[in-house]
């Protein structure tokens, strides 16, 4: 287990890299997509729950590893938030709390509701720290990137659980507020892509733009806005098509830990299309078939880098 601390680390888990969390988020998304497929396609429910149980255990282990690092020296959170892979990883770590609440929903609505509010509070606290990092750091850190979706739009994940536990007002609030923020980030991102395309190593992060479209659609469907969900289904389809067309350009730098960004958007899009059903059932099923081997493959590659002690160095993770 000492190898998990990272190369050159002075003790167990002192350099736990936040980069382990984006692919774990993708695994959660895959399990939730399988859960939706149980009713739509008659898939075995045991497979979905086995995936979600295993991913929850993996997440709790990685969360423990990061908390051990944080408790040794709390300033590591600020240091991780100063670098782009760290902001993505910490953001995914927090957002996974919403997904744990969604996993728990069929087993205990009360537990799911409690986990939901824990996620909201932790997310808000992280955002306060992040805004302070932006305010006190160099101007380059404040450049809008797709990772802003994780940090600022990620509250939309509260809408996965909120309607089912009697928090419909929360679901409505996150739908409209985060929807507005997502549109702003999309607009800025489109302009930046035309005027200053990202360097090859950062291009996989562009796939994050797909996730808000999928999640806004899922939440809109959950609160009864079926027409809005249909609009987001189309937006997600256009975005996914553009990502596929530009895949060679996006992956030009070869595999890196940032490939974790591919995982959740694909799984989330599958969930949206499966949830809407009708003409979207076939695309949803195809996306689920594609995501089922692809997401675990990326997660395994990233976790292997952690096990070898090189993930922290590759992503500039802070050391406690």
């Amino acid at each position: 287990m000492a190898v998990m601390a990272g190369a050159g680390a002075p003790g167990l888990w002192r350099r736990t890299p936040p980069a382990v969390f984006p692919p774990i988020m993708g695994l959660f998304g895959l399990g939730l997509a399988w859960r939706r497929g149980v009713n739509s396609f008659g898939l075995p429910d045991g497979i979905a729950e086995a995936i979600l149980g295993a991913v929850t255990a993996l997440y709790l282990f990685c969360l423990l590893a990061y908390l051990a690092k944080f408790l040794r020296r709390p300033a590591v959170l600020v240091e991780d938030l100063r670098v782009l892979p760290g902001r993505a990883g910490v953001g995914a770590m927090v957002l996974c709390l919403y997904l744990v609440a969604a996993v728990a929903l069929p087993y205990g609505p009360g537990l799911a509701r409690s986990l939901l509010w824990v996620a909201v509070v932790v997310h808000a606290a992280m955002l306060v720290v992040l805004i302070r990092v932006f305010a006190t750091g160099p101007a380059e850190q404040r450049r809008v990137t797709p990772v802003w979706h994780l940090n600022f739009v990620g509250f939309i994940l509260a809408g996965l659980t909120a309607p089912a536990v009697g928090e419909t007002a929360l679901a409505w609030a996150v739908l409209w507020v985060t929807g507005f923020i997502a549109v702003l980030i999309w607009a800025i991102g489109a302009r930046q892509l035309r005027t200053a395309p990202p360097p090859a190593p950062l291009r996989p992060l562009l796939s994050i733009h797909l996730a808000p479209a999928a999640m806004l659609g899922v939440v809109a469907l959950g609160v009864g806005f079926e027409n809005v969900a249909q609009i987001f289904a189309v937006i997600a389809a256009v975005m996914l098509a553009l990502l596929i067309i530009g895949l060679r350009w996006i992956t030009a730098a070869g595999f890196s830990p940032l490939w974790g960004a591919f995982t959740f958007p694909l799984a989330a899009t599958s969930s949206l299309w499966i949830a809407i059903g009708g003409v979207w059932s076939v695309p949803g099923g195809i996306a689920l078939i594609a995501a089922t081997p692809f997401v675990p493959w990326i997660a395994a590659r990233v976790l292997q880098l952690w096990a070898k002690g090189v993930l922290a160095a590759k992503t500039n993770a802070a050391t406690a």
Side-chain angles (χ1 to χ4, degrees), residues 245-292:
I245 292 170
L247 191 59
R248 287 188 63 184
W249 178 76
I250 292 171
T251 60
F255 182 84
S256 78
L258 294 186
W259 278 38
F262 290 129
T263 60
F264 184 76
L266 178 59
T269 300
S270 173
S271 279
L272 171 60
W273 291 344
I274 292 172
I276 294 176
V279 297
W280 293 104
S281 293
V282 172
I286 293 172
L288 181 58
I289 291 171
T292 297

Side-chain angles (χ1 to χ4, degrees), residues 223-242:
V223 296
F225 294 144
E226 295 185 10
N227 291 336
V228 175
Q230 291 279 357
I231 292 171
F232 281 117
V234 174
I235 293 173
V238 172
M239 287 186 172
L240 182 58
L242 291 174

Side-chain angles (χ1 to χ4, degrees), residues 45-187:
D45 57 355
I47 295 178
E49 300 312 310
I51 294 172
L52 291 170
V55 177
T56 300
L58 174 62
Y59 170 64
L60 292 177
F61 170 76
C62 293
L63 181 62
L64 174 63
Y66 192 84
L67 288 176
K69 165 180 160 176
F70 173 77
L71 292 174
R72 286 179 185 272
R73 191 169 66 87
V76 294
L77 177 62
V78 173
E79 294 171 12
D80 278 331
L81 289 174
R82 285 177 180 155
V83 297
L84 193 57
R87 286 197 292 277
V90 172
M93 176 180 69
V94 172
L95 296 188
C96 282
L97 291 171
Y98 293 111
L99 300 177
V100 172
V103 170
L105 187 58
Y107 301 99
L111 173 62
R113 185 176 184 272
S114 297
L115 290 170
L116 168 63
W117 283 109
V118 167
V120 170
V121 171
V122 172
H123 191 176
M126 184 272 291
L127 206 55
V128 170
V129 177
L130 178 61
I131 292 172
R132 180 173 176 79
V133 168
F134 283 161
T136 58
E140 294 78 18
Q141 287 185 348
R142 296 189 287 275
R143 176 182 169 86
V144 176
T145 71
V147 173
W148 280 41
H149 286 301
L150 294 174
N151 302 140
F152 296 97
V153 184
F155 287 101
I156 188 61
L157 294 182
L160 293 176
T161 306
V165 297
E167 301 289 354
T168 306
L170 174 63
W172 279 53
V174 297
L175 176 63
W176 296 114
V177 174
T178 63
F180 176 74
I181 297 172
V183 169
L184 288 179
I185 296 174
W186 284 331

